Amino acid sequence: MKNRKNLYVLGGIALLAIIPLIAKTIDNGYLQTLTFFVMMFVSMSVAWNIIGGYAGQISFGHGTFWGLGAFTTAIFAIRTGLPAWLAMPIGGLVAMLYGMSWGYPTLRLRGPYFAIATIGIGEATRLIMLNLDQLLKNSPLDWLVKDKPFTGGASGLILPSPNDFQANQLLLFYICLGFMILTIAISAWINNSRFGLALRAVNMDQEAAETLGVSASRYKVLALMVSAFLVGVAGSLYAQYVLFIDAREVFSFSNSIAMVLMPTVGGIGTLWGPALGALVFKVADDRLSSARFMLGGMQINLGDVNLMLYGLLLVLIILFEPGGVLGLLKRLRKK
Amino acid sequence: MCFQISILNSQFQILMSFDTFLNLFAASILTAGLYATMSYGLALIYGVMKLTNLSHAGVLMLAAYGTYWLNTLGISPYLAPFIVVPLWFGIGIVWQHTLVKRIMLMPPIASLLFFFGIWLIMQNFAYLVFKSDIRSITNEATLLTYKLGPLVLSQNRLIVFFAGITALVSLQLFLTRTYQGRAIRALAADAEAARLSGIDTDRISALAFGLGIALAAFAGCLMALIFAFDPEFGRSHLLKSFCIVVLGGLESFVGVALGAIMLALAENFSIQFMPAALQDMVSFVLLVIVLLTIPNGLMSLLKGKK
């Protein structure tokens, strides 16, 4: 049984690895870009699940970590002239420290403090990043914005373009594949370790867990740090791939919504559920975003009602199948 | 008389005249009346049912649009609450009986996701019906101001303040003087004991939920009078409501009022040395500071250590 599972995983990795080789012949490389984004979202979804699923602390602000990773990378590449991929761990670290700074006060307490704070953090961070250049002017940190913009405000930042665009995309594809495998491996390790056990225990009954000597707040903050680091690295990958970022887009609420939705759809708190959810979400999003249908003589673009569909999906899942797609599959198999 | 506030270095020295100070203070008190109404809706639902109603933001936003829509039909925005609020009270009761009742039995994570989903649906509904343009209600009545010595007060803000206070005082009377009000408070204090003493918990929770939603809707109607809004409206106010509830503690009416005043003061005075665009950040920073220093809220300071 275990062997067969390993075989599936290896087969999946091999299949992903040959996609760039065949993508050109199928649809001029679009498949490669789509797969890159699917892999990035799988990593984000799996990373969100570490704090949201295992630890049971829902975060509506993970887009912030993603955006910080992207911005750190852009600023690093512009300022140092070194290859942008070197900034990946730095982007992760910045996101991690940022998460720690407000995660510590909000996770210490029981109750919905963390979840509510995450709703504000995205908005607050976007406002800071949009206005940072203005704020830095005439302050002691003036030298940061003297000759070039720091965050670029509303006009954004353009990363230095690589010598060989195609080769860079290909390299990033394989880095992303490796990163996704790493993220899933970390999630799997946490799932089977004492750390994961402690998180689950805290999630089920914090009081009981603390009576048994589990330091609830320390584990929760640690889970947030791991999660934020991984999402920050994913953001860094994004910045390198698209080469242009601006605060309005990178810190938009929709990424945070996506990171809540994907694991919930797939199966919150499981190892493979979030990955499955991300795959379903991203592929459906790609296929459906341009679809339209008629309702009462009015043409409705599916892109205009996507929030409603996401909301409806959340409500239906919570009411009827809290285990998500994975839970549904299990139930079908039992029958 | 002058106040000198210096931050970072001398370049940032800000002189504030006494008149400005007085005006900012008055504005803060007026805003606090609205904030208290807004956060009491959230506190009521959290206190009684232990549910964090994220759709609070959506109710604020849709109630504001309701007022706007009635205004385009020729109904005065000052009368709109009499239509909008009972409607939302009804919606709240129906919700409780159909969906929320089931959510209450699930772990807290489910209720967060559920209400988040409802909020997304509300936002998208507003986008579809009202489009993404920024709306506001202005007519001669909304632009009137009164001069009181150095104070300049907008009639609108005064009305909003007194309407908010009236709603809160009548709610407080209801909660302390009537059987049903007392049952709500009993349920908040100890649900099990309330059930054992013969309170119909289903009906009373529905009433509390309806009241919480109605209060949010009332705050939304009042907001339509003084703020511009779009379908994203409400998100920052959800955070503000929560910040006030944390500041004031859940159990007390005075606490919520104190929390509202604190937040309003912090917001209005921070504008003096911060870009206005960053005003929405104040509540977040305040929330984090409060959680770090006095997690039990202001009232715990007054009462001494709990």
Side-chain angles (χ1 to χ4, degrees):
Chain A
M1 188 64 195
K2 181 106 188 174
N3 274 335
R4 217 168 80 187
K5 211 168 190 177
N6 286 344
L7 213 63
Y8 282 142
V9 172
L10 283 176
I13 294 173
L15 195 69
L16 286 171
I18 58 164
I19 277 181
L21 306 177
I22 56 169
K24 285 245 157 39
T25 56
I26 301 176
D27 57 0
N28 219 1
Y30 179 68
L31 182 65
Q32 186 184 329
T33 299
L34 180 63
T35 314
F36 173 86
F37 279 108
V38 169
M39 292 193 299
M40 190 183 78
F41 272 85
V42 167
S43 316
M44 285 151 70
S45 174
V46 170
W48 183 94
N49 186 53
I50 294 172
I51 179 78
Y54 296 155
Q57 295 291 322
I58 303 277
S59 163
F60 298 103
H62 257 48
T64 315
F65 302 135
W66 192 74
L68 279 177
F71 260 96
T72 309
T73 306
I75 292 167
F76 175 88
I78 291 170
R79 303 259 153 175
T80 64
L82 294 169
W85 58 268
L86 283 172
M88 282 169 59
I90 308 174
L93 275 176
V94 170
M96 184 178 97
L97 292 176
Y98 192 65
M100 207 171 75
S101 70
W102 53 268
Y104 174 72
T106 49
L107 285 171
R108 249 178 0 145
L109 306 157
R110 287 169 54 195
Y113 298 98
F114 175 74
I116 295 276
T118 57
I119 287 182
I121 191 70
E123 194 75 5
T125 314
R126 180 171 65 224
L127 287 173
I128 298 179
M129 294 304 265
L130 270 172
N131 295 294
L132 195 59
D133 286 8
Q134 291 263 306
L135 286 172
L136 289 175
K137 244 174 225 165
N138 298 324
S139 79
L141 292 170
D142 196 26
W143 53 273
L144 274 172
V145 284
K146 263 267 152 65
D147 34 280
K148 45 188 149 189
F150 189 63
T151 65
S155 44
L157 287 177
I158 299 172
L159 280 83
S161 44
N163 296 328
D164 186 345
F165 187 71
Q166 301 270 336
N168 189 52
Q169 303 274 53
L170 193 65
L171 176 68
L172 283 170
F173 182 91
Y174 286 110
I175 294 180
C176 190
L177 176 61
F179 172 64
M180 182 185 78
I181 295 169
L182 178 76
T183 309
I184 295 177
I186 290 175
S187 176
W189 175 79
I190 290 177
N191 197 16
N192 295 323
S193 70
R194 271 179 62 95
F195 179 38
L197 206 60
L199 289 179
R200 289 237 169 80
V202 170
N203 184 9
M204 278 177 197
D205 189 338
Q206 179 160 341
E207 237 159 43
E210 277 176 335
T211 329
L212 294 171
V214 176
S215 165
S217 62
R218 204 176 67 209
Y219 280 114
K220 281 191 282 186
V221 174
L222 214 58
L224 175 67
M225 283 164 67
V226 174
S227 177
F229 180 88
L230 292 171
V231 174
V233 175
S236 172
L237 276 168
Y238 173 78
Q240 294 172 58
Y241 202 86
V242 299
L243 296 171
F244 168 75
I245 54 167
D246 76 292
R248 222 178 284 263
E249 187 236 321
V250 175
F251 288 103
S252 77
F253 201 39
S254 58
N255 284 316
S256 298
I257 298 175
M259 269 183 271
V260 176
L261 202 66
M262 294 183 297
T264 315
V265 168
I268 201 164
T270 61
L271 174 61
W272 290 104
L276 186 67
L279 181 71
V280 172
F281 172 82
K282 204 58 202 161
V283 172
D285 191 49
D286 178 70
R287 293 290 126 182
L288 295 180
S289 58
S290 54
R292 49 180 60 113
F293 61 92
M294 304 294 282
L295 186 81
M298 219 166 67
Q299 181 177 308
I300 291 179
N301 295 325
L302 221 52
D304 295 339
V305 289
N306 60 351
L307 280 183
M308 196 173 279
L309 294 178
Y310 297 164
L312 213 60
L313 203 59
L314 272 179
V315 169
L316 292 177
I317 287 174
I318 294 303
L319 285 176
F320 299 111
E321 187 51 72
V325 177
L326 220 57
L328 194 71
L329 287 177
K330 262 186 201 145
R331 203 154 64 172
L332 288 179
R333 195 180 285 173
K334 259 185 206 150
K335 268 181 192 167
Chain B
M1 194 172 163
C2 284
F3 292 85
Q4 283 195 348
I5 305 161
S6 73
I7 44 164
L8 290 176
N9 59 26
S10 54
Q11 275 181 353
F12 271 83
Q13 230 168 54
I14 287 149
L15 298 170
M16 196 190 289
S17 71
F18 187 65
D19 286 3
T20 322
F21 177 81
L22 212 64
N23 269 305
L24 281 176
F25 194 79
S28 306
I29 299 294
L30 293 188
T31 315
L34 174 63
Y35 279 5
T37 315
M38 162 182 95
S39 31
Y40 212 71
L42 195 72
L44 195 64
I45 291 175
Y46 188 80
V48 174
M49 319 169 81
K50 307 291 173 268
L51 291 174
T52 313
N53 179 19
L54 294 183
S55 65
H56 187 73
V59 178
L60 290 174
M61 182 265 299
L62 284 182
Y65 271 111
T67 310
Y68 173 84
W69 182 65
L70 288 173
N71 188 44
T72 58
L73 295 183
I75 296 172
S76 157
Y78 299 117
L79 297 177
F82 294 103
I83 303 167
V84 176
V85 174
L87 186 71
W88 277 103
F89 180 72
I91 294 176
I93 300 241
V94 172
W95 255 357
Q96 160 70 21
H97 278 304
T98 50
L99 299 174
V100 181
K101 205 158 83 182
R102 298 178 56 186
I103 298 296
M104 278 173 71
L105 304 173
M106 298 182 188
I109 194 172
S111 70
L112 279 170
L113 291 171
F114 172 80
F115 284 116
F116 185 65
I118 298 275
W119 179 22
L120 290 183
I121 295 173
M122 287 172 160
Q123 264 186 37
N124 205 151
F125 175 77
Y127 270 122
L128 279 179
V129 177
F130 302 104
K131 306 290 178 257
S132 58
D133 310 324
I134 294 172
R135 316 274 179 161
S136 62
I137 300 172
T138 36
N139 53 42
E140 294 104 60
T142 62
L143 296 173
L144 263 180
T145 53
Y146 296 112
K147 279 217 166 92
L148 212 88
L151 275 180
V152 183
L153 297 170
S154 123
Q155 175 191 288
N156 239 354
R157 287 192 175 251
L158 282 171
I159 291 176
V160 165
F161 176 76
F162 285 113
I165 296 298
T166 312
L168 285 182
V169 170
S170 24
L171 184 72
Q172 188 65 8
L173 287 177
F174 171 74
L175 287 178
T176 48
R177 299 288 157 83
T178 64
Y179 168 77
Q180 277 161 332
R182 279 198 288 244
I184 287 178
R185 282 167 56 225
L187 206 57
D190 189 335
E192 204 54 43
R195 191 173 298 124
L196 286 176
S197 41
I199 290 173
D200 183 350
T201 47
D202 267 5
R203 240 193 55 223
I204 296 298
S205 335
L207 181 66
F209 193 77
L211 276 176
I213 296 283
L215 261 183
F218 188 52
C221 290
L222 296 179
M223 283 171 167
L225 289 171
I226 50 180
F227 296 132
F229 47 90
D230 64 3
E232 299 280 321
F233 182 80
R235 196 191 306 159
S236 59
H237 292 96
L238 172 65
L239 190 76
K240 284 175 194 177
S241 311
F242 194 72
C243 179
I244 289 166
V245 170
V246 171
L247 263 168
L250 282 167
E251 59 266 46
S252 88
F253 180 68
V254 184
V256 169
L258 263 179
I261 291 174
M262 281 279 285
L263 178 65
L265 282 173
E267 278 190 345
N268 277 313
F269 280 90
S270 65
I271 285 203
Q272 288 291 307
F273 39 88
M274 234 175 59
L278 293 184
Q279 200 194 8
D280 279 348
M281 265 196 58
V282 174
S283 52
F284 182 76
V285 174
L286 194 65
L287 176 67
V288 169
I289 293 174
V290 170
L291 288 180
L292 273 173
T293 51
I294 37 168
N296 290 325
L298 283 172
M299 293 308 275
S300 67
L301 285 184
L302 297 179
K303 278 185 221 150
K305 220 169 156 67
K306 226 177 183 179

